């Protein structure tokens, strides 16, 4: 279907189902229960899941396929955000032109940076992209203040022209971002018993774009171009000796992943029309690297999974405070309760970064293939058992890690 | 002229910090072939050694002074540090005052231990893994170390002043015949620079003139052959890692009076020190030192008002700009050797 083989189609259908039913899946607990804080089915967070999923999918096209570790991808995210907000200021609050512009500008910007950075490989490439990203961050933060509004960040105001759209709504407030009149923040709440499921326009726009992005990346992975990128990863020297110039291929991969980042940035700005320089800081680049690695670099599903995982952590774990912990362990005797709270306390709430760092180290050390590989190992464990029960093991299939 | 001299001096202390961190990074690059993103965290831990010592020294007990009353007439509680009780009031105050230089002694064993533990526990298993893996795992470690420090010391910067005797500034201008207060340089920054020079000199002498250094240099060139000669190179490499950690830690200890330590200072310096290493040439110790001072001084020149009025914002990006230009024109950096990290 859609030019994919059977396995990829199934993957795509799974992703599509997950994305479209997310308001149900992420809201497993009734609203007033004590577990409701684990619900992630509110629009803000769901949007982040898919937007950072797009970012990570794009990053994976560069890192997963070619092995070039860029530490500067947040710059493209930031550029995308800025251009989207400028579109809101100048043209209209419709998100389509904003998204298109952010993809184009991020593409051009990544063409420039990629053209220069890709002259070097390995750690030099990482440092070059890092240097470019820090430079763009500093420029956005101070020098380019007329364009980026410095440390305050770029916002839409009432005095913006908005040539096509309206400058202000009838009651004199700033119009909200919309898709041909359909407001991004419009949310339909469906109450079923004690559950409340939220369906948000912005989320569905992002989810559909994410599915498109995912589909494109699947096609890319399976295309001759994807094969070429894998060849670059396995041995670039050999490719060069056969007389092939690998630069255009890696540059194309860099620009494509930059455009994905721009799309993610544009969507971030579309959901919440402001853009700040901190989106471009190198730690933000580190975050997308973490997402991709955590999920499994070079796999189709990994980056989406990693992005969801980290964003879930960031938003849910950081909300757990001591009171919550005390209610959890309330069943235990007092001394033990306090001891457990004392032990768990540094890892949650404000300390969730610690958990993230530890988890990340564990993944790199023990599961170089990321969560996907972990899942495969578990899957294989079960499969082996079953084949044993089936008396005779059919020839064990080894498949590439995807 | 005076402005140029002043910026030259201002650049020195920043350059010293860059050079020291980059020196440690290059030691690890050059000897072990490991890209250590946790090196900034080591610098930060060094700084927090000074904070810890300051806190330990000022541990105090409370006494109620019956003679002094506050304005409500209640007896006043005063805190007396234990060191004052043990060594007398004046000597106790001096000891607390000198906590930063004392922390140097305190930090050396701690940093060596952390370095050994890191190498044996983690880095050892990553010698044969790709550089990307090394970057990622040490990045994770850096986050963990940073969060642990944040948990114990909080997110706010903690002031750790230099000893009383070194506050204030030295007037270079008078020495050279300028007006007073034109070219002044704080005493502590002079000490920092001198300290950096001593450490750098010691590391070079250690590598150049001792048998141990010779073996390590041989190991840098060809690890397997040295191993075949019956030398336990692994042990020496562990020691090198400890040494690099100690250099970073000491740089952090002495840096505290210049900028109050906070938990993300390591990350702030990390990016810059990587740029410094790359500009100097990977695996080249003189290159790292040279590039550290060069970039430190360039940065302070770029922050001059005359230059900023011509090229606004140049002070923010000069280092990265220089790094990009150098990487593109001299791919191996200023003094890089062939074959280090090139694959």
């Amino acid at each position: 279907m859609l030019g994919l083989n059977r396995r990829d189609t199934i993957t795509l259908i799974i992703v599509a189902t997950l994305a479209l039913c997310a308001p149900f899946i992420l809201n497993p607990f009734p609203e007033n229960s004590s577990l409701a804080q684990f619900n992630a089915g509110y629009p803000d967070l769901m949007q982040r899941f898919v937007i950072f999923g797009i970012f990570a999918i794009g990053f994976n096209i560069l890192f997963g396929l070619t092995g070039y570790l860029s530490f500067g991808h947040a710059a493209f995210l930031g550029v995308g955000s800025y251009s989207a907000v400028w579109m809101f200021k100048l043209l209209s609050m419709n998100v389509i032109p904003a998204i298109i512009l952010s993809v184009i500008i991020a593409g051009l910007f990544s063409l420039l940076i990629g053209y220069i950075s890709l002259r070097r490989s390995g750690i030099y490439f990482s440092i070059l992209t890092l240097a470019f990203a820090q430079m763009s961050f500093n420029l956005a933060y101070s020098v380019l203040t007329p364009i980026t509004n410095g440390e305050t960040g770029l916002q839409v105001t009432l005095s913006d022209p908005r040539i096509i759209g309206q400058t202000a709504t009838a009651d004199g407030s700033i119009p909200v971002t919309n898709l041909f009149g359909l407001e991004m923040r419009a949310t339909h709440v469906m109450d079923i018993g004690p559950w409340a499921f939220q369906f948000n326009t912005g989320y569905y726009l992002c989810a559909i774009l994410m599915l498109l992005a995912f589909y494109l990346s699947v096609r890319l992975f399976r295309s001759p171009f994807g094969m070429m990128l894998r060849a670059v990863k396995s041995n670039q020297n050999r490719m060069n000796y056969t007389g092939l110039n690998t630069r255009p291929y890696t540059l194309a991969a860099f620009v494509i992943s930059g455009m994905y980042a721009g799309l993610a940035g544009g969507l971030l700005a579309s959901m919440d029309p402001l853009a700040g320089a901190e989106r471009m800081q190198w730690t933000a680049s580190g975050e997308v690297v973490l997402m991709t690695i955590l999920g499994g670099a070079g796999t189709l599903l990994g980056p989406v999974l990693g992005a969801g995982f980290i964003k879930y952590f960031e938003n849910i774990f950081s909300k757990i405070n001591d009171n919550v912990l005390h209610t959890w362990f309330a069943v235990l005797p007092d001394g033990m309760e306090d001891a457990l709270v004392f032990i768990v306390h540094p890892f949650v709430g404000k300390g969730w970064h610690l958990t993230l760092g530890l988890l990340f180290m564990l993944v790199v050390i023990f599961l170089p293939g990321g969560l996907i590989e972990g899942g495969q190992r578990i899957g294989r464990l079960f499969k082996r058992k079953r084949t044993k029960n089936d008396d005779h093991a059919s020839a064990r299939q080894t498949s590439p890690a995807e | 002229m005076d402005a140029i001299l002043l910026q030259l001096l201002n650049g020195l202390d920043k350059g010293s910090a860059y050079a020291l961190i980059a020196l440690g990074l290059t030691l690890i690059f050059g000897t072990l072939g490991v890209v250590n993103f946790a090196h900034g965290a080591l610098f930060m831990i060094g700084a927090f050694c000074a904070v810890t010592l300051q806190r330990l020294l000022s541990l105090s007990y409370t006494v109620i002074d019956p003679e002094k009353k506050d304005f409500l007439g209640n007896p006043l509680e005063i805190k007396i540090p234990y060191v004052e009780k043990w060594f007398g009031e004046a000597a106790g105050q001096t000891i607390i005052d000198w906590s930063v230089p004392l922390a140097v002694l305190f930090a050396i064993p701690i940093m060596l231990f952390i370095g050994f533990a890191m190498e044996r526990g983690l880095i050892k298993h990553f010698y044969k893994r790709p550089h990307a893996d090394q970057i990622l795992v040490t990045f994770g470690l850096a986050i963990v170390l940073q969060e642990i420090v944040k948990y114990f010391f909080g997110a706010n910067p903690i002031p750790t002043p230099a000893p009383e005797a070194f506050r204030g500034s030295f007037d270079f201008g008078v020495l050279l015949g300028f007006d007073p207060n034109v070219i002044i340089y704080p005493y502590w920054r002079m000490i920092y620079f001198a300290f950096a020079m001593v450490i750098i000199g010691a590391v070079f002498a250690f590598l150049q003139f001792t048998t141990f250094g010779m073996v390590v240099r041989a190991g840098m060139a060809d690890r397997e052959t040295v191993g075949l000669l019956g030398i336990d190179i692994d042990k020496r490499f562990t020691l090198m890692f400890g040494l690099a950690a100690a250099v970073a830690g000491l740089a952090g200890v002495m840096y505290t009076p210049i900028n109050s330590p906070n938990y993300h200072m390591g990350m702030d310096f990390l990016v810059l020190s990587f740029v410094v290493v790359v500009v100097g040439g990977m695996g080249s110790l003189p290159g790292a030192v040279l590039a550290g001072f060069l970039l430190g001084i360039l940065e302070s020149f770029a922050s001059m008002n005359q230059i900023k009025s011509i090229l606004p914002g140049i002070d923010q990006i000069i280092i990265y700009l220089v790094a990009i230009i150098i990487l593109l024109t001299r791919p191996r950096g200023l003094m890089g050797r062939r074959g280090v990290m090139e694959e």
Side-chain angles (χ1 to χ4, degrees):
Chain A
M1 199 175 85
L2 296 168
L4 300 176
N5 64 24
R6 202 165 147 265
R7 242 180 93 184
D8 291 339
T9 318
I10 293 172
T11 319
L12 187 66
I13 290 173
I14 291 174
V15 174
T17 329
L18 285 179
L20 296 178
C21 300
F24 293 112
I25 298 166
L26 293 174
N27 246 6
F29 306 111
E31 197 162 10
N32 293 322
S33 72
S34 61
L35 289 171
Q37 66 210 358
F38 289 107
N39 281 346
Y42 52 95
D44 248 18
L45 185 53
M46 289 196 298
Q47 285 163 7
R48 278 176 186 274
F49 281 153
V50 284
I51 291 173
F52 280 90
I54 294 174
F55 192 16
I57 291 171
F59 183 79
N60 191 36
I61 290 173
L62 180 72
F63 177 61
L65 283 180
T66 65
Y68 276 82
L69 177 58
S70 158
F71 255 102
H73 259 56
F76 308 132
L77 186 83
V79 166
S81 289
Y82 279 122
S83 24
V85 176
W86 267 110
M87 220 53 180
F88 293 138
K89 285 170 92 69
L90 296 178
L91 210 59
S92 77
M93 290 303 266
N94 196 331
V95 294
I96 297 293
I99 291 171
I100 292 173
L101 184 78
S102 57
V103 172
I104 291 172
I105 298 279
L108 290 176
F109 192 56
S110 57
L111 183 68
L112 175 76
I113 290 183
Y115 182 76
I116 302 172
S117 307
L118 282 165
R119 290 155 169 265
R120 313 304 323 279
S121 62
I123 174 90
Y124 289 98
F125 171 80
S126 300
I127 302 283
L128 265 177
T129 47
L130 188 62
F132 272 116
Q134 269 313 86
M135 207 160 90
S136 339
F137 165 69
N138 284 333
L139 286 174
Y141 200 73
S142 63
V143 187
L144 297 176
T145 304
I147 304 175
T148 61
N149 204 12
E151 51 195 285
T152 335
L154 195 63
Q155 295 165 354
V156 286
T157 60
L158 270 176
S159 55
D160 294 328
R162 277 191 271 285
I163 305 165
I164 301 180
Q166 49 185 162
T167 306
T169 52
D171 56 351
S173 55
I174 302 171
V176 295
T177 49
N178 59 59
L179 178 74
F180 303 113
L182 204 59
E183 285 185 8
M184 282 294 114
R185 66 179 183 198
T187 307
H188 172 71
V189 182
M190 186 165 91
D191 286 309
I192 302 181
W195 283 275
F197 302 109
Q198 303 184 29
F199 299 92
N200 175 263
T201 319
Y203 167 71
Y204 276 100
L205 175 75
C206 297
I208 286 164
L209 283 174
M210 196 270 277
L211 286 178
L212 271 178
F214 185 73
Y215 172 70
L216 263 179
S217 96
V218 177
R219 289 302 295 263
L220 212 77
F221 266 62
R222 301 291 178 241
S223 65
F225 174 72
M227 278 309 278
M228 192 63 93
L229 294 181
R230 267 175 238 233
V232 169
K233 183 180 188 176
S234 71
N235 195 335
Q236 192 165 6
N237 273 340
R238 199 173 290 165
M239 298 299 289
N240 285 330
Y241 291 154
T242 55
L244 183 111
N245 186 6
T246 54
R247 186 82 57 79
Y249 292 96
T250 48
L251 184 59
F254 193 89
V255 173
I256 291 171
S257 72
M259 287 165 85
Y260 269 78
L263 173 65
L267 283 176
L268 272 181
S270 302
M271 297 306 126
D272 186 11
L274 56 89
E278 73 285 340
R279 242 171 230 175
M280 307 172 87
Q281 224 167 355
W282 81 274
T283 39
S285 306
E287 200 183 11
V288 72
V289 181
L290 298 190
M291 288 170 182
T292 313
I293 302 286
L294 188 68
T299 63
L300 287 171
L301 217 53
V304 190
L305 214 64
F309 199 85
I310 286 187
K311 283 292 151 194
Y312 185 81
F313 249 68
E314 184 183 306
N315 288 279
I316 304 295
F317 260 61
S318 57
K319 273 194 299 194
I320 302 173
N321 54 22
D322 274 6
N323 290 337
V324 179
L325 287 180
H326 276 290
T327 52
W328 282 3
F329 299 126
V331 204
L332 301 168
D334 263 358
M336 246 168 101
E337 179 187 330
D338 287 341
L340 267 177
V341 170
F342 180 74
I343 294 170
V344 179
H345 169 77
F347 296 96
V348 295
K350 282 180 187 156
W352 76 272
H353 268 288
L354 180 62
T355 321
L356 185 67
L358 280 174
L359 194 79
F360 187 65
M361 279 175 71
L362 291 177
V363 166
V364 179
I365 295 170
F366 297 111
L367 269 182
L371 293 177
I372 293 283
E373 194 190 311
Q376 278 174 343
R377 280 192 196 175
I378 294 169
R380 229 173 294 152
L381 218 64
F382 281 109
K383 212 177 267 173
R384 203 171 300 154
K385 254 183 208 155
R386 204 165 52 207
T387 44
K388 256 181 204 159
N389 292 347
D390 281 355
D391 177 31
H392 245 301
S394 54
R396 220 178 345 130
Q397 279 187 332
T398 50
S399 54
E402 302 238 338
Chain B
M1 182 63 198
D2 49 343
I4 291 175
L5 266 176
L6 185 66
Q7 295 310 327
L8 210 62
L9 284 176
N10 276 344
L12 286 184
D13 65 299
K14 214 155 211 178
S16 310
Y18 292 162
L20 282 178
I21 303 178
L23 183 72
L25 264 182
T26 306
L27 274 178
I28 297 175
F29 269 139
T31 50
L32 314 174
V34 171
V35 186
N36 182 17
F37 258 54
H39 205 71
L42 293 173
F43 177 73
M44 185 254 319
I45 288 178
F48 276 90
C49 281
V51 173
T52 314
L53 188 71
Q54 185 190 329
R55 292 214 169 154
L56 282 178
L57 288 179
S58 20
L59 274 184
S60 35
Y61 59 97
T62 321
V63 265
I64 295 171
D65 193 341
E67 289 175 14
K68 288 177 188 156
K69 312 255 183 196
D70 63 3
F71 62 94
L72 286 175
N74 299 321
L76 209 59
E77 288 184 352
I78 50 171
K79 290 196 159 141
I80 301 178
Y82 285 104
V83 278
E84 282 188 20
K85 185 183 172 192
W86 297 331
F87 298 102
E89 200 168 325
Q93 275 303 329
T94 321
I95 290 175
I96 295 174
D97 194 34
W98 278 72
S99 60
V100 171
L102 283 177
V104 170
L105 301 177
F106 177 71
I108 290 175
I110 292 181
M111 294 314 297
L112 280 176
F113 174 74
I114 291 176
F116 293 156
M118 235 175 102
E119 205 270 350
R120 284 289 95 183
L122 184 69
I123 307 288
K124 187 178 79 176
H125 309 287
F126 278 80
Y127 288 144
K128 296 225 165 82
R129 302 264 291 259
H131 291 316
D133 279 7
Q134 298 169 353
I135 291 178
L136 296 167
V137 80
T138 47
F139 185 53
L141 181 66
I143 295 176
V144 170
L145 290 176
Q146 191 173 309
E147 286 301 312
I148 291 174
V149 167
K150 186 176 158 198
Y151 180 70
F152 283 108
F153 293 92
N156 297 325
I158 300 162
T160 38
E164 190 73 47
F166 299 120
R167 291 174 215 165
S169 307
F170 180 72
D171 203 327
F172 271 101
V174 175
L175 211 67
L176 299 170
F178 292 100
D179 295 332
N181 286 328
V182 175
I183 306 177
I184 53 169
Y185 196 56
Y187 285 122
W188 188 260
R189 296 192 175 201
M190 287 167 67
I191 289 180
Y192 194 71
F193 176 67
F195 175 80
M197 282 319 204
V198 169
I199 295 274
I200 291 166
V203 169
F204 274 92
F206 181 68
L207 285 179
Q208 204 66 37
F209 301 124
T210 60
T211 324
F212 181 90
M214 208 164 73
V215 171
V216 168
R217 276 185 294 134
M220 276 159 98
D222 190 342
R223 183 175 180 158
E224 288 208 341
T225 312
V226 175
L228 288 175
L229 289 172
I231 294 167
D232 187 356
I233 195 78
D234 283 354
K235 201 183 276 171
R236 284 155 211 264
F237 277 5
T238 310
L239 210 70
M240 283 312 292
F241 198 94
L243 190 71
V247 168
L250 290 184
V253 170
M254 295 295 273
Y255 197 72
T256 50
I258 298 177
N259 247 349
S260 300
N262 54 12
Y263 73 102
H264 55 76
M265 65 189 286
M267 286 288 185
D268 298 345
F269 266 92
L270 179 72
V271 177
L272 283 171
S273 51
F274 262 101
V275 169
V276 167
V277 169
V278 169
V279 166
M282 286 210 178
S284 158
L285 294 177
V289 175
L290 177 77
F293 281 109
L294 188 75
L295 290 180
I297 290 168
L298 269 180
E299 197 183 11
S300 66
F301 270 114
S303 62
M304 280 166 75
N305 282 332
Q306 292 94 322
I307 291 184
K308 269 204 284 193
S309 62
I310 307 170
L311 297 163
I314 186 76
D315 54 324
Q316 304 280 333
I317 58 166
I318 176 84
I319 287 191
Y320 305 110
L321 212 59
V322 169
I324 289 163
I325 292 169
I326 286 195
L327 265 185
L328 294 177
T329 51
R330 281 185 70 96
R332 284 198 190 100
L334 292 174
M335 303 176 84
R337 286 178 294 126
R338 180 183 280 275
V340 178
M341 297 269 160
E342 285 180 353
E343 69 266 16

